[in-house]
Amino acid sequence: MKVVATTRNAQGTSASRRLRRADKVPGIVYGGKGQPVAIELDHNPLFHALRKEKFHASILDMELDGKGERVLLRTYQMHPYKPQVLHVDFQRVSEDTPIHMQVPLHFVGQENSPAVKLSGAIVSHVLSQVDVACLPKDLPEFIEVDLSGLKSTDVVKVLDLKMPAGVKPVVKGKENPVVVTVSVPGGAAEEEAAAPAAAEVPATAQKAPAAAPAPAAKGGDKDKKK
């Protein structure tokens, strides 16, 4: 995706306000081998680009004063209640320098999984994106998470995810955050627990024997002799 920007000479709060009134967005480009550069961009193209998932997790081609730059979107600030971008930050990237980025997760196949089809389970997506490290050329637009084999007892964690070639998940220490959880509704859980329990009971013990008839009282014979 392409971003067009120009160098911003006037800086400060007042200058930024004037830019916003002129439908411009103040920003900055930093990192790489160059010095930080204050920039300005047209508001509407940037606003619409920010609504696209790809804009947040892709290497962007920035045209700055007619010259090309390879950048990543790092942060942006929105107005508290207006549909207005207040500020945006971009970071330069080098092809031979690894980058750390948050990449969206796309979940597929859960409606066909045993957890849903057989157990009526509820699948919860705890994370919607994951931190990864890779070279710029290996950065994926998203990571697909295949849940077609998910069972009612499964929990999917970050280190369980299948990463594209050259991409590694970034976790702190021994942490392994949960990505997907499965919960079975109460009734279904009780039925699943009861089914194996009933199967363990021997067939002969499942039906109680009929009660034996009570013996006749002896007192009746003595009355007949009298």
Side-chain angles (χ1 to χ4, degrees):
M1 298 186 70
K2 188 175 182 179
V3 182
V4 179
T6 56
T7 301
R8 172 167 52 101
N9 296 318
Q11 300 184 40
T13 303
S14 298
S16 295
R17 287 175 180 169
R18 286 193 296 271
L19 279 176
R20 295 182 187 116
R21 286 196 292 268
D23 289 330
K24 302 283 186 178
V25 180
I28 190 170
V29 180
Y30 64 89
K33 298 178 181 179
Q35 295 295 319
V37 177
I39 61 173
E40 61 183 68
L41 307 90
D42 288 334
H43 179 271
N44 288 345
L46 177 63
F47 177 81
H48 291 295
L50 286 170
R51 301 176 67 179
K52 299 178 181 178
E53 181 183 75
K54 184 177 180 180
F55 192 76
H56 295 258
S58 300
I59 306 297
L60 306 173
D61 294 316
M62 174 177 283
E63 182 184 312
L64 178 58
D65 296 335
K67 298 180 180 179
E69 297 261 18
R70 298 269 283 169
V71 300
L72 286 170
L73 172 68
R74 276 311 184 190
T75 62
Y76 65 98
Q77 181 184 358
M78 298 293 297
H79 192 280
Y81 56 87
K82 294 180 182 179
Q84 181 183 16
V85 186
L86 299 180
H87 195 275
V88 64
D89 290 1
F90 295 97
Q91 179 185 353
R92 298 186 189 94
V93 298
S94 300
E95 294 300 328
D96 58 349
T97 303
I99 56 175
H100 177 195
M101 195 73 177
Q102 287 192 332
V103 176
L105 298 176
H106 286 189
F107 300 93
V108 298
Q110 70 179 43
E111 64 278 1
N112 297 318
S113 67
V116 174
K117 295 188 74 173
L118 301 181
S119 304
I122 298 172
V123 179
S124 300
H125 304 159
V126 181
L127 297 180
S128 60
Q129 55 188 11
V130 64
D131 289 341
V132 302
C134 62
L135 290 174
K137 68 180 181 62
D138 296 324
L139 181 66
E141 183 180 336
F142 60 86
I143 294 174
E144 186 174 277
V145 184
D146 185 2
L147 301 179
S148 59
L150 195 66
K151 299 178 182 178
S152 60
T153 55
D154 289 345
V155 175
V156 180
K157 297 186 177 182
V158 168
L159 297 182
D160 299 326
L161 300 178
K162 184 178 180 180
M163 295 286 170
V167 180
K168 295 181 179 180
V170 177
V171 293
K172 296 180 180 179
K174 296 182 179 180
E175 290 184 358
N176 191 10
V178 173
V179 177
V180 172
T181 61
V182 181
S183 58
V184 180
E190 292 174 3
E191 290 177 6
E192 288 184 356
E200 294 173 0
V201 179
T204 55
Q206 292 182 15
K207 185 176 180 181
K218 295 181 179 181
D221 294 338
K222 290 181 180 180
D223 292 340
K224 289 180 180 179
K225 290 180 180 180
K226 290 181 180 179

Short mmCIF file of all heavy atoms in Angstrom, two decimals, residues 8 10-21 26 86-87:
data_model
loop_
_atom_site.label_atom_id
_atom_site.label_comp_id
_atom_site.label_asym_id
_atom_site.label_seq_id
_atom_site.Cartn_x
_atom_site.Cartn_y
_atom_site.Cartn_z
N ARG A 8 7.12 18.47 6.85
CA ARG A 8 6.40 19.51 7.60
C ARG A 8 7.43 20.42 8.26
O ARG A 8 8.19 20.00 9.13
CB ARG A 8 5.49 18.84 8.65
CG ARG A 8 4.82 19.79 9.62
CD ARG A 8 3.71 19.06 10.38
NE ARG A 8 4.18 17.83 11.01
CZ ARG A 8 4.50 17.71 12.31
NH1 ARG A 8 4.42 18.76 13.10
NH2 ARG A 8 4.88 16.55 12.80
N ALA A 10 6.67 23.73 9.71
CA ALA A 10 6.12 24.35 10.91
C ALA A 10 5.73 23.27 11.91
O ALA A 10 5.05 22.30 11.57
CB ALA A 10 4.91 25.21 10.56
N GLN A 11 6.18 23.42 13.15
CA GLN A 11 5.89 22.44 14.18
C GLN A 11 5.34 23.13 15.42
O GLN A 11 5.37 24.35 15.53
CB GLN A 11 7.15 21.64 14.52
CG GLN A 11 7.73 20.88 13.35
CD GLN A 11 8.92 20.01 13.74
OE1 GLN A 11 8.93 19.40 14.79
NE2 GLN A 11 9.94 19.98 12.88
N GLY A 12 4.81 22.32 16.32
CA GLY A 12 4.21 22.89 17.53
C GLY A 12 2.70 22.73 17.51
O GLY A 12 2.08 22.39 16.50
N THR A 13 2.08 23.02 18.65
CA THR A 13 0.63 22.82 18.81
C THR A 13 -0.18 23.69 17.86
O THR A 13 -1.12 23.22 17.22
CB THR A 13 0.23 23.13 20.26
OG1 THR A 13 0.98 22.30 21.15
CG2 THR A 13 -1.26 22.87 20.47
N SER A 14 0.17 24.94 17.76
CA SER A 14 -0.59 25.85 16.89
C SER A 14 -0.48 25.43 15.43
O SER A 14 -1.47 25.45 14.68
CB SER A 14 -0.09 27.29 17.05
OG SER A 14 -0.29 27.73 18.38
N ALA A 15 0.72 25.05 15.02
CA ALA A 15 0.92 24.63 13.64
C ALA A 15 0.12 23.37 13.33
O ALA A 15 -0.46 23.23 12.25
CB ALA A 15 2.40 24.40 13.37
N SER A 16 0.07 22.45 14.29
CA SER A 16 -0.69 21.20 14.10
C SER A 16 -2.18 21.49 13.98
O SER A 16 -2.88 20.87 13.17
CB SER A 16 -0.42 20.25 15.26
OG SER A 16 0.92 19.83 15.27
N ARG A 17 -2.66 22.44 14.76
CA ARG A 17 -4.08 22.81 14.67
C ARG A 17 -4.41 23.40 13.30
O ARG A 17 -5.46 23.11 12.72
CB ARG A 17 -4.42 23.81 15.77
CG ARG A 17 -4.48 23.19 17.17
CD ARG A 17 -4.69 24.26 18.21
NE ARG A 17 -4.75 23.68 19.55
CZ ARG A 17 -4.71 24.40 20.67
NH1 ARG A 17 -4.62 25.74 20.61
NH2 ARG A 17 -4.77 23.80 21.85
N ARG A 18 -3.52 24.22 12.79
CA ARG A 18 -3.75 24.81 11.47
C ARG A 18 -3.77 23.72 10.39
O ARG A 18 -4.59 23.76 9.47
CB ARG A 18 -2.67 25.86 11.16
CG ARG A 18 -2.81 27.16 11.94
CD ARG A 18 -1.93 28.26 11.36
NE ARG A 18 -0.52 27.93 11.49
CZ ARG A 18 0.23 28.25 12.55
NH1 ARG A 18 -0.31 28.90 13.58
NH2 ARG A 18 1.51 27.93 12.58
N LEU A 19 -2.89 22.74 10.52
CA LEU A 19 -2.87 21.63 9.57
C LEU A 19 -4.20 20.87 9.59
O LEU A 19 -4.76 20.55 8.55
CB LEU A 19 -1.72 20.67 9.90
CG LEU A 19 -0.33 21.05 9.42
CD1 LEU A 19 0.69 20.02 9.92
CD2 LEU A 19 -0.29 21.12 7.90
N ARG A 20 -4.69 20.60 10.79
CA ARG A 20 -5.94 19.83 10.91
C ARG A 20 -7.12 20.59 10.33
O ARG A 20 -8.02 19.99 9.74
CB ARG A 20 -6.17 19.46 12.38
CG ARG A 20 -5.10 18.52 12.93
CD ARG A 20 -5.37 18.13 14.38
NE ARG A 20 -4.24 17.37 14.91
CZ ARG A 20 -3.47 17.77 15.91
NH1 ARG A 20 -3.72 18.93 16.52
NH2 ARG A 20 -2.48 17.02 16.33
N ARG A 21 -7.11 21.92 10.53
CA ARG A 21 -8.19 22.72 9.94
C ARG A 21 -8.13 22.70 8.42
O ARG A 21 -9.14 22.90 7.74
CB ARG A 21 -8.14 24.17 10.46
CG ARG A 21 -8.62 24.32 11.90
CD ARG A 21 -8.91 25.79 12.21
NE ARG A 21 -7.70 26.58 12.22
CZ ARG A 21 -6.95 26.83 13.31
NH1 ARG A 21 -7.31 26.31 14.49
NH2 ARG A 21 -5.88 27.58 13.23
N PRO A 26 -0.69 15.86 10.94
CA PRO A 26 0.73 15.89 11.27
C PRO A 26 1.23 14.50 11.66
O PRO A 26 0.48 13.69 12.19
CB PRO A 26 0.79 16.86 12.47
CG PRO A 26 -0.56 16.76 13.09
CD PRO A 26 -1.52 16.49 11.97
N LEU A 86 -5.65 12.57 14.38
CA LEU A 86 -4.93 13.72 14.94
C LEU A 86 -3.43 13.65 14.70
O LEU A 86 -2.78 14.68 14.53
CB LEU A 86 -5.20 13.81 16.44
CG LEU A 86 -6.65 14.02 16.87
CD1 LEU A 86 -6.75 14.10 18.39
CD2 LEU A 86 -7.23 15.28 16.23
N HIS A 87 -2.88 12.44 14.69
CA HIS A 87 -1.42 12.30 14.54
C HIS A 87 -1.10 10.88 14.12
O HIS A 87 -1.85 9.95 14.43
CB HIS A 87 -0.70 12.64 15.85
CG HIS A 87 0.77 12.87 15.69
ND1 HIS A 87 1.70 11.84 15.70
CD2 HIS A 87 1.49 14.02 15.51
CE1 HIS A 87 2.91 12.35 15.53
NE2 HIS A 87 2.82 13.66 15.42
#
